[in-house]
Amino acid sequence: MTHVRAATLALSAVAAFTSPALADVNLYTYREAKLIAPVLEAFTKDTGIKVNVVSASSGLEQRIATEGANSPADVVLTVDIGRLDEAKRLGITQPIKSEVLDKIIPANFRDADHAWYGISARARVLYVSKDRVPAGTTITYEELADPKWKGKICTRPGQHQYNNGLIAAYIAHYGVAEAEKWLTGLKANLAQKPAGGDREVARDILAGKCDIGIANTYYWALMNNADPEKKPWADATRVLLPIFKDTGGTHFNVSGVILARHAPNKADAMKFIEWLAGEHAQHVYADATYEYPLRAGIKVNPTIAGYGDVKPDSTPLSKIAAERKAAADLVDKVGFDK
């Protein structure tokens, strides 16, 4: 426990709630500290259980694997199906046995073997120029490869996990050969070499470098509501919800959890995991992180709801995860990031 406290890199506000009498959960996470802090603070207030946080931008799964049976990790809270799937592949998970979660989390947002559960969701959508893309325009994922958008699209690199998930979803829908044609067409439509993050596509739209950016739903809300410096980027754009033509659904990914294989505080870790799917946490997720709650009956944040009605793609995330390597190979094959 001592070295976990020493390794705590973020969320000191959470530790402020601690006292020697409180129990602990050791959380490893990739979530941005400012996004996840309200959730962890609420958990400690509700339960009296302190959360010790190890935060990093990469390598947590490998760290837990290296720590082996001596790992202090109880729970990993991360974004993207890729990292959840990687944790399962490395053997650092144990089954999460919870009738509570099975009732709350839809089947397509959890692992069939109970290795991981989604807690909240985000959609991979389009930021489009208010000035240069007429209101009422619709664009499907398939149409991103239409030559009419040549030189109009900006995105972060194709090997980034968010785009890897979208490309893997395309493969899950249409197969590798069709996905290669699509990715080749999308590359031909890029205005510039893939670079930066999701917020930067809005910046580049404001600068006139492109008209359409591929990005996650919550970034626009954060720029608009919580980042005065970047609000002009949001003001120059609006969010468009693309769909896959075959299912009529929008690609969703998740923030999710695993229970670490050697969790030393398993009972409290399970309390934490089930609490994340509870009404209080799901409200906090909706309003503090601008993600879609996965628990039925929880209202989406008004900014997110303002994007319009959305129908999540029904393709199971586990099926999409199985295509991650094929997606990465395609990015290299078509030279998408060059």
Side-chain angles (χ1 to χ4, degrees):
M1 192 68 67
T2 300
H3 83 277
V4 170
R5 289 180 176 135
T8 297
L9 303 178
L11 302 175
S12 58
V14 175
F17 287 100
T18 64
S19 74
L22 295 180
D24 290 355
V25 168
N26 299 324
L27 174 68
Y28 284 30
T29 184
Y30 291 111
R31 299 305 310 269
E32 291 184 28
K34 65 182 180 182
L35 292 180
I36 199 63
V39 175
L40 304 187
E41 290 169 2
F43 172 70
T44 299
K45 284 184 177 179
D46 283 357
T47 65
I49 299 173
K50 186 179 75 171
V51 181
N52 301 311
V53 179
V54 175
S55 180
S57 59
S58 63
L60 288 178
E61 300 91 345
Q62 291 73 21
R63 174 174 171 169
I64 294 171
T66 300
E67 291 170 341
N70 294 321
S71 176
D74 292 309
V75 177
V76 177
L77 176 61
T78 184
V79 296
D80 197 83
I81 180 60
R83 281 176 165 151
L84 295 168
D85 184 63
E86 178 72 2
K88 179 181 179 182
R89 191 186 66 78
L90 288 173
I92 63 169
T93 68
Q94 62 174 298
I96 298 174
K97 299 177 181 178
S98 171
E99 293 182 0
V100 172
L101 293 178
D102 288 345
K103 290 179 180 177
I104 295 173
I105 306 301
N108 57 323
F109 291 124
R110 53 183 159 93
D111 180 57
D113 298 324
H114 305 279
W116 54 263
Y117 279 75
I119 295 299
S120 60
R122 68 281 298 282
R124 196 80 180 137
V125 297
L126 305 177
Y127 299 171
V128 301
S129 169
K130 285 182 178 176
D131 294 333
R132 299 184 296 277
V133 178
T137 298
T138 60
I139 305 172
T140 65
Y141 293 114
E142 293 86 345
E143 288 169 342
L144 290 173
D146 191 314
K148 71 180 180 181
W149 299 119
K150 187 174 181 60
K152 303 292 186 183
I153 299 175
C154 291
T155 185
R156 69 195 316 162
Q159 291 293 12
H160 188 275
Q161 59 187 338
Y162 297 164
N163 278 343
N164 176 274
L166 176 59
I167 298 165
Y170 203 97
I171 294 172
H173 277 261
Y174 300 115
V176 173
E178 287 301 314
E180 181 178 348
K181 294 177 185 176
W182 173 73
L183 197 60
T184 301
L186 174 55
K187 174 179 170 55
N189 287 342
L190 295 180
Q192 58 192 13
K193 179 181 177 180
D198 284 4
R199 296 176 178 90
E200 283 68 34
V201 303
R203 177 198 64 191
D204 291 345
I205 290 171
L206 173 62
K209 295 180 179 179
C210 51
D211 295 348
I212 301 167
I214 303 171
N216 283 348
T217 36
Y218 54 87
Y219 284 118
W220 194 94
L222 288 167
M223 291 188 294
N224 189 67
N225 297 350
D227 192 340
E229 290 187 1
K230 295 182 177 60
K231 191 173 188 310
W233 303 359
D235 289 341
T237 60
R238 66 177 181 277
V239 176
L240 190 154
L241 303 173
I243 60 170
F244 283 107
K245 287 182 177 178
D246 60 343
T247 62
T250 297
H251 173 58
F252 271 61
N253 210 314
V254 293
S255 298
V257 293
I258 70 160
L259 177 63
R261 182 178 180 182
H262 301 291
N265 306 295
K266 182 176 177 179
D268 285 338
M270 283 302 303
K271 290 179 183 176
F272 177 62
I273 291 172
E274 290 186 343
W275 180 89
L276 289 172
E279 289 190 17
H280 187 186
Q282 292 285 293
H283 278 296
V284 174
Y285 259 109
D287 291 327
T289 71
Y290 296 106
E291 293 190 296
Y292 291 93
L294 291 182
R295 184 186 180 104
I298 305 299
K299 286 187 177 181
V300 175
N301 178 273
T303 299
I304 301 297
Y307 301 161
D309 295 334
V310 63
K311 173 188 173 185
D313 182 29
S314 57
T315 306
L317 282 179
S318 56
K319 182 178 179 181
I320 294 172
E323 304 294 351
R324 288 174 53 235
K325 183 179 185 306
D329 290 345
L330 269 190
V331 169
D332 288 341
K333 185 176 182 180
V334 307
F336 190 84
D337 289 344
K338 295 181 179 177

